[in-house]
Amino acid sequence: MGKFMRAAYLRVVLHGIIVCLLTIMASTAFAEDIDYSQQSNWAYYGIGDAAEKPADLFIVCPTVDMGRQGNRVISLADEKMRGKFVGALNMERGIYEENTRMFAPYYRQVAFPVYDLSPVEQEKYLSQAYADVREAFRYYLENLNEGRPIVLAGFSQGADMTLRLMKGFFDDKALQEKLVAAYAIGWRLTEEEVKEYPWLRIAQGERDTGVIIIYNTEKVGVEESKMIPRGVKTLAVNPLNWRQDSEPAGKELNLGGCFTTYSGAIKEEIPEITGAYIDEKRGSLIVTDIWGPRFPKALTGKGSYHVYDFQFFFRNLQKNVGDRIEAYLESHESH
């Protein structure tokens, strides 16, 4: 065997060993199932008076663990991480809480460094994280929903998990009838996926129901990010004009960007902060009036405003949740 063949063989063997180790590490982190009948395993558990809130919210937390200890899965035994988990949810709860009774499960989400792995290696961890979310949602449907309309929501990793729920559960016609909308903000969804899962429908306007609202915020000229890899085109909805095409929406349509704390308090609000349009090539949402140094872009790629995805459009999203719930109730009252 020549030296080049030996080197290639050793690379294959080494890769196999690494994959096996990753699989063992992932399975060890998920050795026991989470018991979602225990209220302590929920970050939000029925927050809001059901008599006053016409719909339920099932919301999935974004990534909060940066993996600085070398870990690839969050430790839910770490009280500091559990605090960050609730804090991250609180940052976006103001979009939904006026009209919904809120549920959010703790789940063994992946830590940020997982997104630097290959897609195959990422999926070993993400599929395990989804197994927790899936079980929590199943428990919610069977024991907590009480026949109420459902709003699904998630940002970033939470949006990925929300789309997985849509793929895994909502081929059921009865469940489709319960869905007000799914807000999967800060992730991607391709035309190929919609063809594979035809019950996934992207919002066509501001009041249609049973639909998905999805977008990723970027600066003009970006060619890749962790959310939208190079060569991928995602579907998107512009949260200012609720269109899927590239029609620009001026900043006068922006009801207010809100920048929130871990308590959920709004520390700053900027009316008409930016306009936006959908990029025809990537499907990203291009913001037209953001000054870079004021809102630094980091972590997810140069030119990506991912961390501000819901904050730039906070008031529009907040109003839209109410509008879609109202439209849902009106359509179901007439039946």
Side-chain angles (χ1 to χ4, degrees):
M1 183 183 293
K3 64 178 181 179
F4 294 112
M5 291 184 66
R6 284 198 301 271
Y9 175 76
L10 287 173
R11 284 197 297 272
V12 170
V13 171
L14 181 59
H15 181 265
I17 292 171
I18 291 172
V19 169
C20 288
L21 287 172
L22 287 169
T23 304
I24 292 169
M25 289 167 62
S27 61
T28 301
F30 294 85
E32 296 182 3
D33 293 336
I34 295 177
D35 181 2
Y36 287 105
S37 69
Q38 300 297 311
Q39 189 170 337
S40 60
N41 288 324
W42 294 80
Y44 292 171
Y45 188 86
I47 296 178
D49 187 344
E52 298 178 359
K53 312 290 184 178
D56 278 357
L57 172 72
F58 187 94
I59 185 170
V60 188
C61 186
T63 307
V64 298
D65 189 341
M66 299 309 294
R68 293 191 175 97
Q69 305 304 315
N71 59 301
R72 290 178 172 171
V73 179
I74 193 173
S75 170
L76 294 179
D78 184 334
E79 288 301 320
K80 183 178 180 181
M81 282 298 166
R82 287 172 76 94
K84 288 184 175 182
F85 201 105
V86 174
L89 289 165
N90 287 344
M91 289 183 73
E92 51 185 312
R93 70 180 279 174
I95 294 169
Y96 307 100
E97 66 180 333
E98 182 178 348
N99 297 287
T100 63
R101 180 180 64 160
M102 300 186 295
F103 295 87
Y106 286 112
Y107 72 103
R108 287 165 291 193
Q109 61 171 232
V110 306
F112 190 74
V114 167
Y115 291 103
D116 291 325
L117 303 175
S118 71
V120 171
E121 291 168 338
Q122 285 181 35
E123 189 56 27
K124 289 182 173 66
Y125 295 95
L126 288 165
S127 62
Q128 294 278 14
Y130 174 62
D132 283 352
V133 175
R134 181 182 62 216
E135 184 56 36
F137 190 61
R138 182 178 290 115
Y139 182 85
Y140 160 77
L141 289 175
E142 294 175 357
N143 300 278
L144 303 172
N145 172 255
E146 302 169 342
R148 289 163 56 83
I150 301 169
V151 175
L152 288 179
F155 166 58
S156 195
Q157 183 174 168
D160 178 8
M161 296 296 141
T162 297
L163 292 172
R164 290 173 190 242
L165 288 176
M166 287 291 298
K167 293 173 182 176
F169 283 86
F170 285 83
D171 57 335
D172 182 323
K173 295 288 186 182
L175 198 51
Q176 290 175 20
E177 278 297 308
K178 286 187 176 183
L179 182 66
V180 176
Y183 291 82
I185 298 167
W187 202 246
R188 60 186 173 269
L189 181 65
T190 65
E191 289 185 359
E192 290 74 19
E193 289 175 282
V194 170
K195 288 178 182 176
E196 184 177 357
Y197 303 94
W199 57 90
L200 303 185
R201 297 187 298 115
I202 308 300
Q204 300 289 324
E206 59 188 315
R207 288 176 63 87
D208 49 348
T209 60
V211 295
I212 296 169
I213 294 90
I214 186 167
Y215 63 85
N216 293 270
T217 313
E218 293 181 349
K219 178 182 178 181
V220 67
V222 173
E223 295 185 356
E224 64 179 329
S225 71
K226 290 187 185 300
M227 286 40 254
I228 313 176
R230 185 182 295 271
V232 172
K233 181 179 181 181
T234 181
L235 300 170
V237 178
N238 188 331
L240 296 183
N241 59 15
W242 304 105
R243 298 172 66 107
Q244 290 188 50
D245 58 29
S246 59
E247 181 72 20
K251 65 180 182 178
E252 68 277 3
L253 296 177
N254 194 313
L255 302 179
C258 294
F259 303 90
T260 51
T261 68
Y262 264 13
S263 71
I266 295 173
K267 61 183 178 181
E268 183 179 15
E269 180 168 357
I270 306 175
E272 300 185 0
I273 184 173
T274 187
Y277 66 91
I278 295 172
D279 178 77
E280 291 182 336
K281 179 181 177 182
R282 288 171 48 76
S284 53
L285 184 70
I286 306 301
V287 288
T288 56
D289 302 276
I290 296 301
W291 182 49
R294 175 67 174 80
F295 300 103
K297 306 166 290 298
L299 297 176
T300 53
K302 185 178 180 180
S304 170
Y305 285 108
H306 178 65
V307 294
Y308 304 107
D309 275 336
F310 66 86
Q311 299 187 88
F312 283 162
F313 308 98
F314 195 96
R315 292 298 188 196
N316 293 74
L317 292 168
Q318 184 184 59
K319 179 179 183 299
N320 188 248
V321 171
D323 288 345
R324 290 191 197 274
I325 290 174
E326 181 181 72
Y328 176 94
L329 296 175
E330 288 174 356
S331 67
H332 285 71
E333 285 171 1
S334 62
H335 290 168

